[in-house]
């Protein structure tokens, strides 16, 4: 084992350079080895070894034959350095240090760089052996780009693997203070952040931004195999998975105060994208932010700020619009309880099953159930969207201003009264209803 001292640099194996080894000093010469010009070059460098600077060549060399002017070393190999420097001890020792080959990195007399390094920079010295570290890297870690290998690694010995100055994530958060704050302050932390940043990031550089080991979503799906399977097989996929940012469009990869590492509160997150019309043709979705702003009466889940009550298949699913249950996509549909499974998670199916009722629904003319009248038909049963906007409306009960019917927006013209109301849509003349005093609508 080799040790440190003398300003942190290793005292290295001395090599007699700068002159013909057969050159002998003139008779009676009393100067030092470098004074007469024979070995002056050994002092040329950015940093000079202390014994050389002080002319104390005998710290490392001793006379073998004075007449022949030959010399040997005081000790061999790394043992020579240990004459002055303390031994390095630790769990992980740099292989040249362990082998006593100090001159692999350091010059014994004067170095091109600080600490007697054989090259002008630490990075150049490291590259002598580790040149493959930077192969095919489009994006470099900051310390690597700056040639600051010792920002993360000890050059001689460490208590940690790979000569690291600390273990993950402690080493990484010494610089990435924002991540450190998330580790301590966020309610939900991504497990790899706690155990090892290199599960997702390459330490030196990568072909991908942020030094990611792979491009998302592939990186994320390496661990989240259930989501991977869903993304592969789902008939309806969340477009955010394929958009720029992919998983990070909705999730914070490090830590969050929200469940499932959501980047924002669920509804705020959804409206971050659904603040404009998305898609085209039949796949177009409305500007929900605008719709909610212009319509003061909101669906219960929206009042609860919980889009996932209806859109639970956030990554992908089998139902249109990522709905969590069945809901008819057409304007007309024969009534079937299973077809409206999404709605009946919250609403009572009884309001659509009985032609006569005095309590199952408020949409009745006396006891005549008008929900049943509109919906429970074998042919041309009206679906919910014929009268309601499922997100919000200007009137109560989510009655819509107009229902999409192909390219036509059918007006509803609903007017509410104390005991009921009336409507005059594009499909029939004005009809009125009253729960307490039934109205006769003559044709």
């Amino acid at each position: 084992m080799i040790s440190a001292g003398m300003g942190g640099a290793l005292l290295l194996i001395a090599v007699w350079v700068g002159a013909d080894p057969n050159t002998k000093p003139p008779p009676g010469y009393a100067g030092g080895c470098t004074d007469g010009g024979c070995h002056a070059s050994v002092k040329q460098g950015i940093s000079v070894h202390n014994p050389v600077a002080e002319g104390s060549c005998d710290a490392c060399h001793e006379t073998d034959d004075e007449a022949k002017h030959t010399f040997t070393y005081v000790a061999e190999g790394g043992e020579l350095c240990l004459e002055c420097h303390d031994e390095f001890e630790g769990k992980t020792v740099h292989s040249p240090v362990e082998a006593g080959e100090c001159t692999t990195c350091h010059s014994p007399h004067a170095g091109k760089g600080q600490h007697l390094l054989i090259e002008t920079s630490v990075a150049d010295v490291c590259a002598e052996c580790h040149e493959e570290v930077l192969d095919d890297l489009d994006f470099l870690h900051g310390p690597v780009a700056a040639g600051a290998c010792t920002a993360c690694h000890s050059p001689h010995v460490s208590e940690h693997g790979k000569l690291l100055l600390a273990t993950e994530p402690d080493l990484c958060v010494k610089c990435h203070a924002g991540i450190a704050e998330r580790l301590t302050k966020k309610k939900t932390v991504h497990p790899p952040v706690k155990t090892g940043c290199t599960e997702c990031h390459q330490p030196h550089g990568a072909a991908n931004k942020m030094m990611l080991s792979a491009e998302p979503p592939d990186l994320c799906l390496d661990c989240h195999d259930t989501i991977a399977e869903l993304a592969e097989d789902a008939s309806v996929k969340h477009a955010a998975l394929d958009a720029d940012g992919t998983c990070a469009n909705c999730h914070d990869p490090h830590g969050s105060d929200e469940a499932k590492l959501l980047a924002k509160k669920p509804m705020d997150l959804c409206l971050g994208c659904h603040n404009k019309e998305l898609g085209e043709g039949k796949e177009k979705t409305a500007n929900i932010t605008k719709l909610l702003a212009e319509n003061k009466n909101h669906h219960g889940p929206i009042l609860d700020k919980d889009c996932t009550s209806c859109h639970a298949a956030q990554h992908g699913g089998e139902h249109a619009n990522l709905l969590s249950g069945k809901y008819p996509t057409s304007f007309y549909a024969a009534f079937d309880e299973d077809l409206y499974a999404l709605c009946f998670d919250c609403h009572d199916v009884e309001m659509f099953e009985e032609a006569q009722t005095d309590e199952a629904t408020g949409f009745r003319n006396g006891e005549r159930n008008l929900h049943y009248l509109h919906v429970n038909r074998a042919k041309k049963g009206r679906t919910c969207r014929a009268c309601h906007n499922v997100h919000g409306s200007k009137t109560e009960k989510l009655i819509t201003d107009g229902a999409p019917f192909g390219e036509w927006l059918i007006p509803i013209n609903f007017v509410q009264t104390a005991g009921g109301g009336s409507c005059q849509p594009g499909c029939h003349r004005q009809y009125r209803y009253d729960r307490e005093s039934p109205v006769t609508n003559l044709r």
Side-chain angles (χ1 to χ4, degrees):
M1 305 295 290
I2 308 301
S3 66
M6 297 184 75
L10 286 176
L11 178 61
L12 305 162
I13 304 172
V15 179
W16 196 257
V17 296
D20 183 345
N22 295 316
T23 300
K24 298 179 182 180
Y29 176 74
C33 300
T34 61
D35 296 334
C38 296
H39 304 288
S41 63
V42 300
K43 298 178 70 173
Q44 295 175 1
I46 297 299
S47 56
V48 181
H49 197 187
N50 281 358
V52 176
E54 295 171 0
S56 301
C57 303
D58 56 354
C60 300
H61 302 275
E62 60 183 1
T63 303
D64 176 45
D65 187 325
E66 187 172 351
K68 295 181 179 180
H69 193 61
T70 58
F71 300 85
T72 61
Y73 298 120
V74 172
E76 293 295 326
E79 295 300 319
L80 176 61
C81 302
L82 293 177
E83 292 287 316
C84 295
H85 297 283
D86 296 330
E87 187 174 4
F88 282 115
E89 294 182 355
K91 293 181 180 179
T92 306
V93 181
H94 197 186
S95 54
V97 176
E98 190 170 34
E101 298 173 350
C102 308
T103 53
T104 299
C105 302
H106 300 276
S107 168
H109 298 115
K112 295 180 181 179
Q114 297 294 331
H115 307 302
L116 298 174
L117 291 177
I118 61 173
E119 299 293 344
T120 56
S121 70
V122 172
D124 289 340
V125 174
C126 298
E128 290 286 321
C129 296
H130 303 286
E131 69 276 5
E132 76 287 349
V133 168
L134 302 183
D135 286 350
D136 301 322
L137 301 181
D138 296 324
F139 300 92
L140 296 179
H141 192 188
V144 175
C149 306
T150 53
C152 299
H153 300 275
S154 168
H156 301 116
V157 66
S158 171
E159 293 300 316
H160 312 290
K162 299 180 181 179
L163 292 169
L164 292 172
L165 300 177
T167 55
E168 298 178 52
D170 294 339
L171 174 64
C172 304
V173 299
K174 287 179 182 293
C175 293
H176 298 281
I179 304 302
E181 183 177 4
R182 294 187 185 195
L183 279 170
T184 57
K185 294 185 177 181
K186 295 298 181 182
K187 293 179 182 178
T188 307
V189 176
H190 196 188
V193 179
K194 295 180 180 179
T195 57
C197 307
T198 52
E199 290 190 35
C200 298
H201 300 276
Q202 292 296 318
H204 297 108
N208 310 300
K209 292 181 179 179
M210 301 297 182
M211 299 184 303
L212 293 174
S213 301
E215 285 280 10
D218 294 339
L219 174 66
C220 307
L221 299 181
D222 279 345
C223 293
H224 299 282
D225 47 5
T226 302
I227 304 301
E229 184 177 346
L230 182 62
E232 179 71 24
D233 299 335
S235 56
V236 180
K237 300 178 183 179
H238 196 179
L241 281 174
D242 295 324
D244 290 342
T246 63
C247 306
N249 287 321
C250 299
H251 301 277
D252 189 301
H254 298 108
S256 171
D257 285 328
E258 304 300 324
K260 300 181 180 179
L261 291 170
L262 292 178
K264 298 178 182 178
K265 292 185 179 301
M267 188 168 172
D268 292 339
L269 183 65
C270 298
L271 294 181
C273 289
H274 293 279
N275 57 0
K276 53 186 173 294
E277 289 188 345
L278 299 172
E280 297 179 355
K282 292 183 179 181
E283 303 299 323
K284 180 182 287 188
T285 59
N287 181 335
I288 304 300
T289 299
K290 180 181 179 182
L291 187 154
L292 296 179
E294 294 177 348
N295 296 273
K296 64 180 182 179
N297 294 286
H298 296 164
H299 196 189
I302 290 176
L303 292 175
D304 294 336
K305 298 186 181 298
D306 184 14
C307 304
T308 60
S309 290
C310 299
H311 303 279
Q314 297 98 331
H315 298 99
E318 58 180 314
H319 306 299
N321 300 314
L322 298 174
L323 294 172
S324 54
K326 285 185 178 180
Y327 177 78
T329 58
S330 59
F331 188 87
Y332 296 119
F335 178 76
D336 181 270
E337 180 179 347
D338 183 58
L339 186 62
Y340 290 86
L342 173 70
C343 303
F344 295 141
D345 279 343
C346 298
H347 298 284
D348 294 330
V349 68
E350 287 81 3
M351 72 173 67
F352 304 98
E353 291 183 327
E354 300 294 335
Q356 299 290 319
T357 182
D358 61 359
E359 61 179 6
T361 178
F363 185 37
R364 53 188 169 81
N365 193 24
E367 292 187 0
R368 189 182 189 191
N369 186 344
L370 300 180
H371 269 125
Y372 179 92
L373 174 69
H374 284 80
V375 174
N376 206 321
R377 298 183 179 189
K379 292 183 178 180
K380 290 193 173 183
R382 272 68 167 173
T383 54
C384 306
R385 64 169 49 82
C387 300
H388 301 279
N389 189 305
V390 294
H391 292 102
S393 71
K394 291 181 173 64
T395 58
E396 294 183 7
K397 306 299 182 182
L398 299 175
I399 303 298
T400 185
D401 288 340
F405 187 74
E407 295 184 2
W408 183 34
L409 196 67
I410 301 177
I412 301 298
N413 296 315
F414 173 74
V415 178
Q416 188 173 12
T417 64
S422 68
C423 61
Q424 187 177 357
C427 51
H428 62 69
R429 65 181 178 83
Q430 185 184 41
Y431 283 168
R432 296 176 295 123
Y433 71 96
D434 192 284
R435 290 179 286 276
E436 301 301 326
S437 302
V439 177
T440 298
N441 291 292
L442 299 176
R443 293 183 179 276

